[in-house]
Coordinates of all heavy atoms in Angstrom, one line a residue:
M1443 N 2.2 204.7 253.7 CA 3.1 203.7 253.2 C 2.4 202.4 253.3 O 1.8 202.0 254.3 CB 4.4 203.7 254.1 CG 5.4 202.7 253.6 SD 6.9 202.9 254.6 CE 6.9 201.4 255.6
S1444 N 2.3 201.7 252.2 CA 1.6 200.4 252.2 C 2.6 199.3 252.4 O 3.7 199.3 251.8 CB 0.9 200.2 250.8 OG 1.9 200.1 249.8
Q1445 N 2.2 198.4 253.2 CA 3.1 197.3 253.5 C 2.6 196.1 252.7 O 1.4 195.6 252.8 CB 3.0 197.0 255.0 CG 4.0 195.9 255.4 CD 3.9 195.6 256.9 OE1 3.1 196.2 257.6 NE2 4.7 194.7 257.4
T1446 N 3.4 195.5 251.9 CA 3.0 194.4 251.1 C 3.8 193.2 251.5 O 4.9 192.9 250.9 CB 3.3 194.7 249.6 OG1 4.6 195.0 249.4 CG2 2.4 195.8 249.1
S1447 N 3.4 192.6 252.5 CA 4.0 191.4 253.0 C 3.4 190.2 252.3 O 2.2 189.9 252.4 CB 3.9 191.2 254.5 OG 2.6 191.1 254.8
A1448 N 4.1 189.5 251.5 CA 3.6 188.4 250.7 C 3.7 187.2 251.5 O 4.7 186.5 251.6 CB 4.4 188.3 249.4
T1449 N 2.5 186.9 252.1 CA 2.4 185.6 252.8 C 1.7 184.6 251.8 O 0.7 184.9 251.2 CB 1.5 185.7 254.0 OG1 0.2 186.2 253.7 CG2 2.2 186.7 255.0
P1450 N 2.3 183.4 251.8 CA 1.7 182.4 250.8 C 0.4 182.0 251.3 O 0.2 181.7 252.5 CB 2.8 181.3 250.9 CG 3.5 181.5 252.1 CD 3.5 183.0 252.4
L1451 N -0.6 182.0 250.4 CA -1.9 181.6 250.8 C -2.1 180.1 250.6 O -1.4 179.5 249.7 CB -3.0 182.3 249.9 CG -3.0 183.8 250.0 CD1 -3.9 184.4 249.0 CD2 -3.5 184.2 251.4
A1452 N -2.9 179.5 251.4 CA -3.1 178.1 251.3 C -4.0 177.8 250.0 O -4.9 178.6 249.7 CB -3.9 177.5 252.5
P1453 N -3.7 176.8 249.3 CA -4.5 176.5 248.1 C -6.0 176.2 248.5 O -6.2 175.5 249.4 CB -3.8 175.4 247.4 CG -3.0 174.7 248.5 CD -2.7 175.8 249.5
V1454 N -6.9 176.8 247.7 CA -8.3 176.5 247.9 C -8.8 175.4 247.1 O -8.6 175.3 245.9 CB -9.1 177.8 247.6 CG1 -10.6 177.5 247.8 CG2 -8.7 179.0 248.4
E1455 N -9.4 174.4 247.8 CA -9.9 173.3 247.1 C -11.4 173.5 246.8 O -12.2 173.8 247.6 CB -9.8 172.0 247.9 CG -8.4 171.5 248.0 CD -8.3 170.1 248.7 OE1 -9.3 169.4 248.5 OE2 -7.3 169.8 249.3
I1456 N -11.7 173.5 245.5 CA -13.1 173.6 245.1 C -13.7 172.2 245.0 O -13.3 171.4 244.3 CB -13.2 174.3 243.7 CG1 -12.5 175.7 243.8 CG2 -14.6 174.4 243.2 CD1 -12.4 176.4 242.5
P1457 N -14.8 172.1 245.8 CA -15.4 170.7 245.8 C -16.1 170.5 244.4 O -16.7 171.4 243.8 CB -16.4 170.8 246.9 CG -16.7 172.2 247.1 CD -15.5 173.0 246.7
S1458 N -16.0 169.3 243.9 CA -16.7 168.9 242.7 C -17.9 168.0 243.0 O -17.8 167.1 243.8 CB -15.7 168.2 241.7 OG -15.3 167.0 242.3
I1459 N -19.0 168.4 242.5 CA -20.2 167.6 242.7 C -20.5 166.9 241.4 O -20.7 167.5 240.3 CB -21.4 168.5 243.1 CG1 -21.1 169.3 244.3 CG2 -22.7 167.7 243.3 CD1 -22.1 170.4 244.7
P1460 N -20.7 165.6 241.4 CA -20.9 164.8 240.2 C -22.3 165.2 239.6 O -23.2 165.5 240.3 CB -21.0 163.4 240.6 CG -20.3 163.4 242.0 CD -20.5 164.7 242.6
L1461 N -22.4 165.3 238.3 CA -23.6 165.7 237.6 C -24.8 164.7 237.9 O -25.9 165.2 238.1 CB -23.4 165.7 236.1 CG -24.5 166.2 235.2 CD1 -24.9 167.6 235.6 CD2 -24.2 166.1 233.8
A1462 N -24.5 163.4 238.1 CA -25.5 162.5 238.4 C -26.1 162.7 239.7 O -27.3 162.4 240.0 CB -25.0 161.1 238.2
Q1463 N -25.4 163.3 240.6 CA -25.8 163.6 242.0 C -26.7 164.9 242.0 O -27.6 165.0 242.8 CB -24.6 163.7 242.9 CG -25.0 163.7 244.4 CD -23.7 163.7 245.2 OE1 -22.6 163.6 244.8 NE2 -23.9 163.9 246.5
I1464 N -26.4 165.8 241.2 CA -27.0 167.1 241.3 C -28.2 167.2 240.3 O -29.1 168.0 240.4 CB -26.0 168.3 241.0 CG1 -26.5 169.5 241.7 CG2 -25.8 168.5 239.6 CD1 -25.5 170.6 241.7
A1465 N -28.3 166.3 239.3 CA -29.3 166.4 238.2 C -30.7 166.2 238.8 O -31.6 167.0 238.4 CB -29.0 165.4 237.1
P1466 N -31.0 165.3 239.7 CA -32.4 165.2 240.2 C -32.8 166.4 240.9 O -34.0 166.9 240.8 CB -32.3 164.0 241.1 CG -31.2 163.2 240.7 CD -30.2 164.2 240.2
W1467 N -31.9 167.1 241.7 CA -32.3 168.3 242.4 C -32.5 169.4 241.4 O -33.4 170.3 241.6 CB -31.2 168.6 243.4 CG -31.2 167.6 244.5 CD1 -30.3 166.6 244.7 CD2 -32.1 167.6 245.6 NE1 -30.6 165.9 245.8 CE2 -31.7 166.5 246.4 CE3 -33.2 168.3 246.0 CZ2 -32.4 166.1 247.6 CZ3 -33.9 167.9 247.1 CH2 -33.5 166.9 247.9
A1468 N -31.6 169.5 240.4 CA -31.8 170.6 239.4 C -33.1 170.4 238.7 O -33.8 171.4 238.4 CB -30.7 170.5 238.4
L1469 N -33.5 169.2 238.3 CA -34.8 168.9 237.7 C -35.9 169.3 238.6 O -36.9 170.0 238.2 CB -34.9 167.5 237.3 CG -36.2 167.1 236.6 CD1 -36.3 167.7 235.2 CD2 -36.2 165.6 236.5
F1470 N -35.8 168.9 239.9 CA -36.9 169.2 240.9 C -37.1 170.7 241.0 O -38.2 171.2 241.0 CB -36.5 168.5 242.2 CG -37.5 168.9 243.3 CD1 -38.8 168.5 243.4 CD2 -37.1 169.8 244.4 CE1 -39.6 168.8 244.4 CE2 -37.9 170.1 245.4 CZ -39.2 169.6 245.4
F1471 N -36.0 171.4 241.3 CA -36.2 172.9 241.5 C -36.5 173.6 240.2 O -37.1 174.6 240.2 CB -34.9 173.4 242.1 CG -34.8 173.1 243.6 CD1 -33.9 172.2 244.1 CD2 -35.7 173.7 244.5 CE1 -33.8 171.9 245.4 CE2 -35.7 173.4 245.8 CZ -34.7 172.5 246.3
G1472 N -36.1 173.0 239.0 CA -36.5 173.6 237.7 C -38.0 173.5 237.5 O -38.7 174.4 237.1
L1473 N -38.6 172.3 237.9 CA -40.0 172.1 237.7 C -40.8 173.0 238.8 O -41.8 173.6 238.5 CB -40.4 170.7 237.9 CG -40.0 169.7 236.8 CD1 -40.3 168.3 237.1 CD2 -40.7 170.2 235.5
L1474 N -40.2 173.1 239.9 CA -40.8 174.0 241.0 C -40.8 175.4 240.5 O -41.8 176.1 240.7 CB -40.0 173.8 242.3 CG -40.8 174.0 243.6 CD1 -41.9 173.0 243.7 CD2 -39.8 173.9 244.7
G1475 N -39.7 175.8 239.9 CA -39.7 177.2 239.3 C -40.7 177.4 238.2 O -41.3 178.5 238.1
L1476 N -40.8 176.4 237.3 CA -41.8 176.5 236.3 C -43.2 176.6 236.8 O -44.1 177.4 236.3 CB -41.7 175.3 235.3 CG -40.5 175.4 234.3 CD1 -40.5 174.1 233.5 CD2 -40.6 176.6 233.4
L1477 N -43.5 175.8 237.9 CA -44.8 175.9 238.5 C -45.0 177.3 239.1 O -46.1 177.8 239.0 CB -44.9 174.8 239.6 CG -46.3 174.5 240.1 CD1 -47.1 173.9 239.0 CD2 -46.1 173.5 241.3
A1478 N -44.0 177.8 239.7 CA -44.2 179.2 240.3 C -44.4 180.2 239.2 O -45.2 181.1 239.4 CB -42.9 179.5 241.1
I1479 N -43.7 180.1 238.1 CA -43.9 181.0 237.0 C -45.3 180.9 236.4 O -45.9 181.9 236.1 CB -42.8 180.8 235.9 CG1 -41.5 181.3 236.4 CG2 -43.2 181.5 234.6 CD1 -40.3 181.0 235.5
F1480 N -45.8 179.6 236.4 CA -47.1 179.4 235.9 C -48.1 180.1 236.8 O -49.0 180.8 236.3 CB -47.5 177.9 235.8 CG -48.9 177.7 235.6 CD1 -49.5 177.9 234.3 CD2 -49.7 177.2 236.6 CE1 -50.9 177.7 234.2 CE2 -51.1 177.0 236.4 CZ -51.6 177.3 235.2
F1481 N -48.0 179.9 238.1 CA -49.0 180.5 239.0 C -48.9 182.0 239.0 O -49.9 182.7 239.1 CB -48.8 180.0 240.4 CG -49.4 178.6 240.6 CD1 -48.6 177.6 241.1 CD2 -50.7 178.4 240.3 CE1 -49.2 176.3 241.3 CE2 -51.3 177.2 240.5 CZ -50.5 176.1 241.0
V1482 N -47.7 182.6 238.8 CA -47.6 184.0 238.8 C -48.1 184.6 237.4 O -48.8 185.6 237.4 CB -46.1 184.5 239.0 CG1 -46.0 186.0 238.7 CG2 -45.7 184.1 240.4
S1483 N -47.9 183.9 236.3 CA -48.1 184.5 235.0 C -49.5 184.1 234.4 O -50.1 185.0 233.8 CB -47.0 184.1 234.1 OG -47.1 182.7 233.8
A1484 N -49.9 182.9 234.6 CA -51.0 182.4 233.8 C -52.2 182.0 234.6 O -53.3 181.9 234.0 CB -50.6 181.3 232.8
D1485 N -52.0 181.6 235.8 CA -53.1 181.1 236.6 C -54.2 182.1 236.8 O -54.0 183.2 237.3 CB -52.6 180.5 237.9 CG -53.7 179.9 238.7 OD1 -54.5 179.0 238.1 OD2 -53.9 180.2 239.9
Q1486 N -55.4 181.7 236.5 CA -56.6 182.6 236.8 C -57.6 181.9 237.7 O -58.8 182.3 237.7 CB -57.3 183.0 235.5 CG -56.4 183.9 234.6 CD -56.3 185.3 235.1 OE1 -57.1 185.8 236.0 NE2 -55.2 186.0 234.7
G1487 N -57.2 180.8 238.3 CA -58.0 180.1 239.3 C -58.8 178.9 238.7 O -59.4 178.2 239.4
A1488 N -58.6 178.6 237.4 CA -59.3 177.6 236.8 C -58.7 176.2 237.1 O -59.5 175.2 237.2 CB -59.4 177.7 235.2
V1489 N -57.4 176.1 237.2 CA -56.8 174.8 237.4 C -56.2 174.7 238.8 O -55.4 173.8 239.1 CB -55.7 174.5 236.3 CG1 -56.4 174.4 235.0 CG2 -54.7 175.6 236.3
S1490 N -56.4 175.6 239.7 CA -55.9 175.6 241.0 C -56.5 174.5 241.8 O -57.7 174.2 241.7 CB -56.1 177.0 241.7 OG -55.5 178.0 241.0
I1491 N -55.7 173.9 242.7 CA -56.2 172.9 243.5 C -57.2 173.5 244.5 O -58.4 173.0 244.6 CB -55.1 172.1 244.2 CG1 -54.3 171.3 243.2 CG2 -55.6 171.2 245.3 CD1 -55.0 170.3 242.4
P1492 N -56.9 174.5 245.3 CA -58.0 175.2 246.0 C -58.7 176.1 245.0 O -58.2 177.1 244.6 CB -57.3 176.0 247.1 CG -55.9 176.1 246.6 CD -55.6 175.0 245.6
S1493 N -59.8 175.6 244.5 CA -60.5 176.3 243.4 C -60.9 177.7 243.8 O -61.2 177.9 245.0 CB -61.7 175.5 243.0 OG -62.7 175.5 244.0
G1494 N -60.8 178.6 242.9 CA -61.1 180.0 243.2 C -59.9 180.8 242.9 O -58.9 180.4 242.2
M1495 N -59.9 182.0 243.4 CA -58.9 183.0 243.1 C -57.8 183.1 244.2 O -57.1 184.1 244.3 CB -59.5 184.3 242.8 CG -60.5 184.3 241.7 SD -59.7 183.9 240.1 CE -59.0 185.5 239.7
L1496 N -57.7 182.1 245.1 CA -56.8 182.3 246.2 C -55.4 182.4 245.8 O -54.7 183.3 246.2 CB -57.0 181.0 247.2 CG -56.0 181.0 248.3 CD1 -56.4 182.1 249.3 CD2 -56.0 179.7 249.0
L1497 N -54.9 181.5 244.9 CA -53.5 181.6 244.5 C -53.3 182.8 243.6 O -52.2 183.4 243.7 CB -53.1 180.3 243.7 CG -52.9 179.1 244.6 CD1 -52.6 177.9 243.7 CD2 -51.7 179.4 245.5
H1498 N -54.3 183.2 242.8 CA -54.2 184.4 242.0 C -54.0 185.6 242.9 O -53.1 186.4 242.6 CB -55.4 184.5 241.1 CG -55.4 185.8 240.3 ND1 -54.8 185.9 239.1 CD2 -55.9 187.0 240.6 CE1 -55.0 187.1 238.6 NE2 -55.6 187.8 239.5
E1499 N -54.8 185.7 243.9 CA -54.6 186.8 244.8 C -53.3 186.8 245.6 O -52.8 187.8 245.9 CB -55.8 186.9 245.8 CG -57.2 187.1 245.1 CD -57.2 188.5 244.3 OE1 -56.5 189.4 244.7 OE2 -58.0 188.5 243.3
F1500 N -52.9 185.6 245.9 CA -51.7 185.4 246.7 C -50.4 185.9 245.9 O -49.5 186.5 246.5 CB -51.5 184.0 247.0 CG -50.4 183.7 248.1 CD1 -50.6 184.2 249.4 CD2 -49.3 183.0 247.8 CE1 -49.7 184.0 250.3 CE2 -48.3 182.8 248.8 CZ -48.5 183.3 250.0
V1501 N -50.4 185.7 244.6 CA -49.3 186.1 243.7 C -49.6 187.4 242.9 O -48.9 187.7 242.0 CB -48.8 185.0 242.8 CG1 -48.4 183.8 243.6 CG2 -49.9 184.6 241.9
H1502 N -50.6 188.1 243.3 CA -51.1 189.2 242.5 C -50.1 190.3 242.4 O -49.9 190.9 241.3 CB -52.4 189.7 243.1 CG -53.1 190.7 242.2 ND1 -53.7 191.8 242.6 CD2 -53.3 190.7 240.9 CE1 -54.3 192.4 241.6 NE2 -54.1 191.8 240.5
D1503 N -49.4 190.7 243.5 CA -48.5 191.7 243.4 C -47.3 191.3 242.6 O -46.7 192.2 241.9 CB -48.0 192.1 244.9 CG -49.1 192.8 245.6 OD1 -50.1 193.3 245.0 OD2 -49.0 192.8 246.9
G1504 N -46.9 190.1 242.7 CA -45.8 189.6 241.8 C -46.1 189.7 240.4 O -45.3 190.0 239.5
R1505 N -47.4 189.4 240.0 CA -47.8 189.5 238.6 C -47.7 190.9 238.1 O -47.2 191.2 237.0 CB -49.3 189.0 238.6 CG -49.9 189.2 237.2 CD -51.3 188.7 237.3 NE -51.3 187.3 237.6 CZ -52.0 186.4 236.9 NH1 -52.7 186.7 235.9 NH2 -51.9 185.1 237.2
H1506 N -48.1 191.9 238.9 CA -48.0 193.3 238.5 C -46.5 193.7 238.5 O -46.1 194.5 237.6 CB -48.8 194.2 239.4 CG -50.3 194.1 239.1 ND1 -50.9 195.0 238.2 CD2 -51.2 193.3 239.6 CE1 -52.2 194.7 238.1 NE2 -52.4 193.7 238.9
L1507 N -45.8 193.2 239.4 CA -44.3 193.6 239.5 C -43.6 193.2 238.2 O -42.8 193.9 237.7 CB -43.7 193.0 240.7 CG -42.2 193.3 240.9 CD1 -42.0 194.8 241.2 CD2 -41.7 192.5 242.0
L1508 N -43.9 192.0 237.7 CA -43.3 191.4 236.6 C -43.9 191.9 235.2 O -43.4 191.5 234.2 CB -43.3 189.9 236.6 CG -42.5 189.3 237.8 CD1 -42.6 187.8 237.9 CD2 -41.0 189.7 237.6
G1509 N -45.0 192.6 235.3 CA -45.6 193.2 234.1 C -46.5 192.2 233.3 O -46.8 192.5 232.2
Y1510 N -47.0 191.2 234.0 CA -47.9 190.3 233.3 C -49.3 191.0 233.2 O -49.7 191.7 234.2 CB -48.0 189.0 234.0 CG -46.9 188.1 233.8 CD1 -46.0 187.8 234.8 CD2 -46.7 187.4 232.6 CE1 -44.9 187.0 234.7 CE2 -45.6 186.6 232.4 CZ -44.7 186.4 233.4 OH -43.6 185.6 233.3
P1511 N -50.0 190.8 232.2 CA -51.3 191.4 232.1 C -52.3 190.7 233.1 O -52.3 189.5 233.2 CB -51.8 191.1 230.7 CG -51.0 190.0 230.2 CD -49.7 190.1 230.9
C1512 N -53.1 191.5 233.8 CA -53.9 191.0 234.8 C -55.3 191.5 234.7 O -56.2 190.8 234.3 CB -53.3 191.3 236.2 SG -54.2 190.7 237.5
H1513 N -55.5 192.7 234.9 CA -56.9 193.3 234.9 C -56.8 194.7 234.4 O -55.7 195.3 234.3 CB -57.6 193.2 236.2 CG -56.8 193.8 237.4 ND1 -56.8 195.1 237.7 CD2 -55.9 193.2 238.2 CE1 -56.0 195.3 238.7 NE2 -55.5 194.2 239.1
Ligands
ZN268 ZN1 -54.0 192.7 238.9

């Protein structure tokens, strides 16, 4: 036997964040994501700040996991 006691729920207030307040953070994390996608997909060590294949090797498994051509 199911008991359906209807207790009134308190109304949930959804906080609203103004767009002007969240836009700089969205831009920052969007650019950070694009940078991560670049390093995973296209970086071959030519433009890396620590020159060489360090970042390439660091994201190498992610590159293969996502199906980017590598070697
Ligand atoms: Zn590879």
Side-chain angles (χ1 to χ4, degrees):
M1443 182 173 110
S1444 66
Q1445 182 179 3
T1446 57
S1447 63
T1449 57
L1451 297 174
V1454 177
E1455 286 190 29
I1456 300 173
S1458 64
I1459 302 172
L1461 183 62
Q1463 190 177 353
I1464 205 170
W1467 290 104
L1469 181 67
F1470 173 70
F1471 284 109
L1473 289 176
L1474 209 60
L1476 284 177
L1477 194 65
I1479 288 173
F1480 167 75
F1481 279 124
V1482 170
S1483 66
D1485 182 48
Q1486 294 288 339
V1489 295
S1490 299
I1491 293 298
S1493 65
M1495 300 297 282
L1496 177 69
L1497 284 176
H1498 176 85
E1499 296 298 331
F1500 193 67
V1501 297
H1502 192 222
D1503 290 342
R1505 175 179 298 228
H1506 282 270
L1507 180 69
L1508 295 174
Y1510 286 107
C1512 182
H1513 54 83

